[in-house]
């Protein structure tokens, strides 16, 4: 199934999952809650948010603590409800 088939999803909790590919999430225009916390705490890899995070205009919660992020994309400022 394509992610386009799930456009009504409003919440995703991927915390503690060791998720590697989060790109499909950024096509969910109705997403309000996204939890990516603690996805790489035992690895050397860092979870990085792509510029497409700015597409999630309805997002009001973003959990990303416990990851080894070095920076946030500048597009994060587009998220007015966050």
């Amino acid at each position: 199934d394509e992610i386009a088939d799930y456009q009504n999803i409003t919440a995703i909790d991927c915390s503690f999952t060791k998720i590697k590919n989060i790109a499909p999430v950024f096509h969910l225009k109705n997403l309000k809650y996204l939890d990516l916390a603690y996805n790489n705490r035992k690895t050397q890899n860092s979870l990085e948010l792509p510029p497409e995070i700015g597409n999630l205009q309805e997002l009001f919660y973003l959990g990303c603590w416990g990851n080894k992020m070095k920076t946030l994309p500048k597009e994060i400022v587009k998220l007015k409800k966050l």
Side-chain angles (χ1 to χ4, degrees), residues 63-80:
C64 53
W65 58 90
N67 293 300
K68 297 173 182 162
M69 284 185 195
K70 295 178 179 124
T71 61
L72 292 173
K74 64 183 178 185
E75 290 79 6
I76 200 110
V77 300
K78 294 180 180 178
L79 305 178
K80 304 296 183 193

Side-chain angles (χ1 to χ4, degrees), residues 37-57:
Y38 297 101
N39 271 292
N40 56 5
R41 60 193 177 125
K42 294 183 179 178
T43 70
Q44 295 300 319
N45 300 325
S46 63
L47 178 69
E48 299 297 330
L49 294 174
E52 290 81 13
I53 187 77
N55 295 341
L56 302 178
Q57 296 295 305

